[in-house]
């Protein structure tokens, strides 16, 4: 070991490999990926040196193409930090302020009676409803039809109310970052993809990173994304949308490691705005949010961490920096079965000098039913309902003695009763208050979406 340290001092830039034990643990964790499954690419740096780069499984099951360290994946919500960084660049140039009202740049937003700022969008404290929930209730969930940027934006602009007053709560919503990408384009005078390429990707040495601004574009070396087909195999699960900013970054593990290096040790071009990226905010009641500019500020296995996960269609991603360990970890996968929280925790525990593995808590079981409605109780709730904000219709019907909500596209949401007049979807996503006159739908990102008879 002493010889290795001496050699490192004499030969700058020499990269040490992970130990045999560390490599064995990584190999064991990814052993379920093979020539018949999707896979993952993994990159780890410590002390500014690459100590592990591995690839597992297949990038393309149809063509028999394996995942390599250079394979391009979609990064899901890891993309958000690049949108936030673009806003920070403009703020450092004096072209906008984080305290500016969002309507200053997006007059299409309704006046909600309270100041909704760029900072609220960045920290997910705006109260804006989740745009993908809106299009789902219109009958077209993401991955079921092509969705344009304008279509998503209009879904947001139609919302006449918020989940809560701006700054009162933290509630993660992709709508915030769709709007931020529009603000970047409007303020910079350039399209969003050009601005981020010239001001972020190129200076950071991210030479293989682009955006999915046109989902039909051919992207060399891209992995296809998959989900289980229910019969022991796999089927495609790709994002058919041209909505970016909240997601849509196409990249590889090497480029994301380069990005982590640029944030940990900023080049001169980044020095003015990088400190903004890890500045937390507080709610109006003084509680810290622990979410900076698209970077979660919370421990992993007890170690201080600056990280984010990503999930879009069948793609899964994680990027994390662990300052106390001088450690950087990136994973990119093309299997919807990957659990980002568990995978990142296990990898950090393998390479941390001090961490003890702490897996995320198991999901809470669904609450038990306390109300057994009669068929007549349910029949009184059936019929067609309409929402102006969602621009869609739902029809409540009885199917085999259960209440089911159906959209014109054929999308259904089966419900089971909880308490008098209250239901939950069988997948646990939607909570519904039903009466003869109205349906009010709520989930973890959107509240009180009202459909009237």
């Amino acid at each position: 070991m002493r010889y290795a340290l001496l050699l490192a001092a004499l030969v700058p830039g020499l990269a040490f490999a992970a130990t045999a034990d560390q490599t064995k643990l990584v190999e064991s964790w990814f052993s379920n990926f093979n020539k018949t499954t999707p896979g993952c690419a993994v990159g780890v740096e410590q002390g500014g040196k690459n100590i592990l780069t591995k690839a597992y499984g297949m990038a393309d099951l149809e063509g028999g193409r394996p995942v390599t360290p250079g394979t391009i994946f979609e990064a899901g919500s890891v993309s958000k930090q690049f949108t936030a960084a673009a806003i920070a660049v403009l703020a450092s140039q004096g072209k906008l302020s984080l305290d500016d009202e969002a309507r200053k740049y997006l007059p299409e937003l309704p006046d909600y009676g309270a100041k909704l700022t760029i900072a609220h969008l960045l920290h997910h404290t705006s109260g804006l409803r989740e745009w993908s929930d809106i299009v789902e209730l219109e009958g077209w969930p993401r991955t079921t039809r092509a969705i344009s940027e304008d279509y998503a934006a209009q879904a947001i602009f139609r919302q006449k109310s918020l989940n809560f007053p701006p700054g009162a709560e933290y509630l993660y919503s992709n709508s915030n970052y769709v709007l931020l990408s529009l603000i970047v384009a409007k303020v910079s005078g350039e399209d969003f993809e050009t601005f981020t390429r010239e001001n972020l990707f190129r200076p950071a040495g991210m030479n293989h990173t682009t955006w999915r601004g046109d989902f039909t574009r051919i992207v060399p070396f891209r992995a296809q994304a998959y989900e289980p087909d229910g019969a022991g195999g796999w089927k495609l699960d790709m994002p058919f949308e041209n909505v970016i900013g909240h997601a849509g970054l196409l990249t590889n593990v090497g480029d994301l490691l380069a990005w982590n290096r640029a944030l940990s040790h900023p080049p001169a071009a980044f020095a003015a705005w990088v400190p903004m990226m890890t500045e937390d905010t507080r709610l109006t009641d003084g509680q810290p949010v622990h979410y900076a500019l698209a970077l979660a500020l919370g421990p992993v296995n007890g170690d201080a961490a600056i990280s984010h996960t990503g999930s879009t269609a069948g793609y899964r991603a994680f990027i994390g920096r662990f300052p106390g360990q001088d450690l950087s970890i990136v994973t990119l996968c093309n299997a919807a079965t990957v659990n980002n929280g568990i995978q990142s925790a296990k990898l950090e525990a393998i390479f941390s000098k001090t961490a003890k593995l702490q897996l995320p808590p198991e999901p809470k079981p669904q609450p038990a039913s306390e109300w057994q409605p009669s068929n007549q109780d349910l029949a009184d709730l059936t019929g067609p309902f309409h929402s102006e904000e969602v621009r869609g219709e739902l029809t409540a019907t009885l199917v085999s003695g259960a209440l089911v909500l159906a959209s014109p596209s054929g999308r259904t949401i089966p419900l089971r009763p909880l308490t008098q007049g209250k239901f939950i979807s069988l997948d646990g996503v939607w909570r519904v208050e039903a009466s003869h006159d109205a349906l009010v739908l709520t989930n973890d990102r959107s509240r009180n979406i009202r459909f009237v008879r």
Side-chain angles (χ1 to χ4, degrees):
M1 182 64 185
R2 289 179 180 175
Y3 173 75
L5 294 172
L6 176 61
L7 191 60
L10 294 174
V11 186
L14 181 66
F16 295 116
T19 67
D21 285 344
Q22 288 172 330
T23 301
K24 184 177 179 180
L25 288 168
V26 173
E27 296 284 350
S28 174
W29 173 244
F30 289 96
S31 62
N32 56 320
F33 296 116
N34 53 56
K35 292 182 179 181
T36 65
T37 71
C40 295
V42 185
V44 182
E45 291 188 353
Q46 198 153 31
K49 311 294 184 184
N50 183 280
I51 62 172
L52 181 136
T53 303
K54 291 281 186 178
Y56 306 90
M58 305 302 289
D60 182 352
L61 290 172
E62 293 173 312
R65 178 167 52 90
V67 175
T68 72
T71 296
I72 301 295
F73 295 81
E74 183 157 335
S77 288
V78 167
S79 313
K80 287 182 172 68
Q81 60 196 270
F82 296 90
T83 304
I87 290 287
V89 169
L90 293 170
S92 72
Q93 295 172 348
K95 295 181 179 179
L96 57 74
S97 167
L98 303 192
D99 293 325
D100 286 344
E101 193 164 1
R103 293 185 73 240
K104 176 179 179 179
Y105 307 104
L106 300 173
E108 304 93 329
L109 269 176
D111 183 353
Y112 293 115
K115 187 177 180 181
L116 193 163
T117 67
I118 291 175
H120 289 138
L121 299 176
L122 287 164
H123 297 290
H124 293 297
T125 58
S126 68
L128 284 168
R129 291 171 175 156
E130 168 61 34
W131 75 266
S132 63
D133 294 338
I134 304 306
V135 300
E136 177 181 348
L137 292 177
E138 289 179 4
W140 296 102
R142 293 171 71 183
T143 76
T144 60
R145 59 155 288 176
I147 298 176
S148 68
E149 179 184 78
D150 182 66
Y151 189 92
Q154 292 304 320
I156 301 168
F157 295 149
R158 282 199 307 276
Q159 302 309 299
K160 297 180 175 62
S161 59
L162 299 171
N163 286 319
F164 48 78
E169 297 181 40
Y170 167 88
L171 189 64
Y172 193 92
S173 173
N174 288 307
S175 298
N176 296 310
Y177 279 77
V178 172
L179 298 187
L180 287 168
S181 70
L182 299 179
I183 291 173
V184 170
K186 182 164 286 190
V187 173
S188 70
E190 301 179 73
D191 68 82
F192 177 71
E193 295 184 55
T194 299
F195 184 85
T196 50
R197 181 180 67 245
E198 298 302 319
N199 291 275
L200 302 176
F201 303 160
R202 285 185 174 173
M206 300 174 66
N207 299 320
H208 307 93
T209 299
T210 58
W211 291 96
R212 187 216 343 102
D214 175 3
F215 74 84
T216 66
R217 178 171 65 92
I218 300 298
V219 180
F221 310 113
R222 173 166 49 179
Q224 301 296 299
Y226 300 92
E227 65 176 351
D229 66 1
W234 300 89
K235 63 181 180 179
L236 285 170
D237 185 13
M238 294 291 289
F240 303 118
E241 54 192 50
N242 295 335
V243 192
I244 57 175
H246 69 299
L249 190 79
L250 301 174
T251 190
N252 62 24
V253 290
D255 276 17
L256 289 183
L257 287 171
W259 174 249
N260 266 356
R261 287 196 300 273
L263 294 185
S264 296
H265 307 287
F270 286 12
W273 57 265
V274 162
M276 299 168 62
M277 295 293 293
T278 51
E279 291 180 2
D280 199 0
T281 191
R282 291 181 180 273
L283 301 176
T284 50
D285 65 2
Q287 291 295 312
V289 171
H290 303 304
Y291 189 94
L293 270 61
L295 295 170
L297 308 176
V300 174
N301 298 326
D303 285 341
I306 304 167
S307 64
H308 213 288
T309 59
S311 302
T312 296
Y315 293 106
R316 298 292 182 267
F318 172 80
I319 184 170
R321 290 182 287 143
F322 305 89
Q325 306 294 325
D326 200 8
L327 179 65
S328 174
I329 297 174
V330 170
T331 62
L332 293 168
C333 305
N334 62 334
T337 53
V338 169
N339 184 309
N340 284 321
I342 292 176
Q343 182 163 279
S344 57
K346 288 203 171 188
L347 285 171
E348 200 274 340
I350 290 171
F351 292 97
S352 169
K353 300 179 180 69
T354 59
K356 293 183 179 180
L357 181 61
Q358 300 173 17
L359 296 180
E362 292 292 327
K364 294 180 180 178
Q366 289 195 30
S369 298
E370 299 177 9
W371 175 50
Q372 299 299 325
S374 68
N375 280 345
Q376 186 58 52
D377 290 332
L378 297 177
D380 289 343
L381 304 175
T382 61
F385 296 81
H386 173 77
S387 169
E388 287 187 14
E389 291 185 280
V390 172
R391 195 174 61 185
E393 296 179 357
L394 289 176
T395 301
T397 60
L398 273 180
V399 179
S400 300
L403 194 65
V404 175
L405 305 182
S407 69
S409 70
R411 171 77 171 179
T412 60
I413 305 176
L415 305 176
R416 70 175 178 87
L418 289 176
T419 58
Q420 181 78 38
K422 294 185 179 181
F423 298 79
I424 189 167
S425 59
L426 294 186
D427 60 8
V429 173
W430 291 99
R431 297 177 294 281
V432 182
E433 292 188 35
S435 68
H436 178 75
D437 299 318
L439 302 172
V440 181
L441 280 76
T442 294
N443 69 13
D444 289 339
R445 299 182 299 186
S446 301
R447 301 178 186 171
N448 302 324
I449 301 175
R450 187 176 181 83
F451 286 75
V452 297
R453 184 173 292 278

